[in-house]
Amino acid sequence: MKVLIIQSNYIPWKGYFDAINFADVVVLYDEMQYTKRDWRNRNKIKSNQGLQWLTIPIQVKSQYFQKINEAKINEQDWTLKHWKSIQHNYSKASCFKEYQQFFADLYLEANQLEFLSDVNFLFLTEITKLLEIKTEFKWSRDFNLKGNKSEKLFNICQELGATNYLSGSSAKNYLEEDLFIKNNIGVNWLDYSNYKTYPQLYGTFEHQVSILDLIFNTGKYSKNYMKSF
């Protein structure tokens, strides 16, 4: 049983979905503090003017310590703006027409949602299905979150009966790896290097863009440019 515990991101890059596919269960840990100018509410796409941010506007005034799952969206027309930007920049991508309606429908549904976590969950789960990833999603709020950061992660893994905990390398700065190992839970560090390039619009190739870029440019062959398939 491989478990990934991760904060929800907005239409994240292919590496995020690879991490999901490596796991049997993904726990979205949105009890963490919301951080501005981070991946929780924004991501990048390519344009003929260079990289462009798609950012979900969040209520932050006087909300200095709100959690990710408490973050509310403060504009009603953000979905229309994002979808227009996507259409403008990817209408000439080879697979855009094939997936246009799928994502148009997602943005219509997202427009009805009030909380950032719910929007992220919608896109994550539906894109996961599109990529034929079978990983199960759970929320961290349903687990014992007592103790320090490492203990909280360990408790989630233990409750799930995990044999392996998957994590990005940045967690090496704080994770008490011995806590997992002495309880027979292996720690596996995810490697996001050496991805293959694929046909991409607008000049110099960029890996660090939303999964939308991969899907619109390669369609059903998207898995060929990921590492977990």
Side-chain angles (χ1 to χ4, degrees):
M1 167 74 78
K2 294 174 289 186
V3 174
L4 172 71
I5 304 171
I6 195 167
Q7 296 167 40
S8 73
N9 286 5
Y10 175 53
I11 50 170
W13 78 304
K14 59 195 173 191
Y16 190 108
F17 287 95
D18 259 334
I20 291 173
N21 197 31
F22 279 127
D24 297 300
V25 176
V26 170
V27 179
L28 295 176
Y29 198 153
D30 279 9
E31 270 72 32
M32 297 289 289
Q33 183 176 340
Y34 172 76
T35 49
K36 294 189 292 183
R37 295 181 293 277
D38 211 335
W39 301 105
R40 277 3 108 213
N41 71 314
R42 65 179 189 166
N43 224 297
K44 291 184 279 190
I45 60 171
K46 290 196 76 179
S47 78
N48 59 8
Q49 301 296 316
L51 294 178
Q52 177 181 329
W53 286 101
L54 297 179
T55 303
I56 300 176
I58 299 297
Q59 294 179 16
V60 293
K61 187 176 181 180
S62 302
Q63 302 292 327
Y64 305 115
F65 303 107
Q66 67 178 333
K67 299 174 182 177
I68 300 167
N69 59 15
E70 297 170 336
K72 290 185 177 182
I73 299 167
N74 68 358
E75 281 185 22
Q76 289 189 324
D77 63 346
W78 72 271
T79 54
L80 180 61
K81 292 177 181 177
H82 285 206
W83 182 236
K84 283 185 175 180
S85 292
I86 291 166
Q87 285 181 301
H88 177 73
N89 290 298
Y90 287 103
S91 61
K92 294 182 180 179
S94 59
C95 302
F96 180 78
K97 289 182 180 179
E98 182 179 355
Y99 296 95
Q100 180 177 9
Q101 193 60 53
F102 175 85
F103 285 102
D105 290 344
L106 276 186
Y107 275 99
L108 280 174
E109 188 172 349
N111 194 51
Q112 308 302 313
L113 301 174
E114 181 181 7
F115 289 91
L116 173 64
S117 284
D118 293 333
V119 170
N120 288 348
F121 182 78
L122 172 66
F123 280 93
L124 289 174
T125 53
E126 291 304 313
I127 294 173
T128 294
K129 292 175 190 175
L130 184 67
L131 295 171
E132 299 181 326
I133 295 173
K134 307 300 183 184
T135 304
E136 182 181 1
F137 283 83
K138 293 182 179 291
W139 290 103
S140 58
R141 61 175 174 255
D142 298 324
F143 296 89
N144 175 14
L145 298 179
K146 294 180 181 178
N148 63 28
K149 186 180 290 188
S150 289
E151 289 167 343
K152 290 174 181 176
L153 298 175
F154 168 74
N155 289 338
I156 292 173
C157 288
Q158 195 170 51
E159 285 188 51
L160 285 169
T163 57
N164 296 82
Y165 170 58
L166 309 180
S167 179
S169 59
S170 61
K172 290 181 179 180
N173 296 324
Y174 67 81
L175 191 73
E176 297 172 21
E177 193 170 349
D178 288 346
L179 175 63
F180 292 79
I181 293 172
K182 72 181 182 182
N183 286 282
N184 299 314
I185 300 175
V187 177
N188 302 120
W189 302 106
L190 296 168
D191 178 11
Y192 295 118
S193 63
N194 300 318
Y195 274 102
K196 294 189 293 185
T197 60
Y198 54 86
Q200 191 182 63
L201 300 175
Y202 311 124
T204 305
F205 190 89
E206 295 283 352
H207 285 289
Q208 299 287 341
V209 288
S210 168
I211 189 86
L212 295 177
D213 188 89
L214 177 62
I215 292 171
F216 289 142
N217 282 302
T218 67
K220 64 182 180 180
Y221 299 106
S222 295
K223 300 177 194 177
N224 295 346
Y225 300 95
M226 298 174 70
K227 301 173 81 172
S228 61
F229 291 94

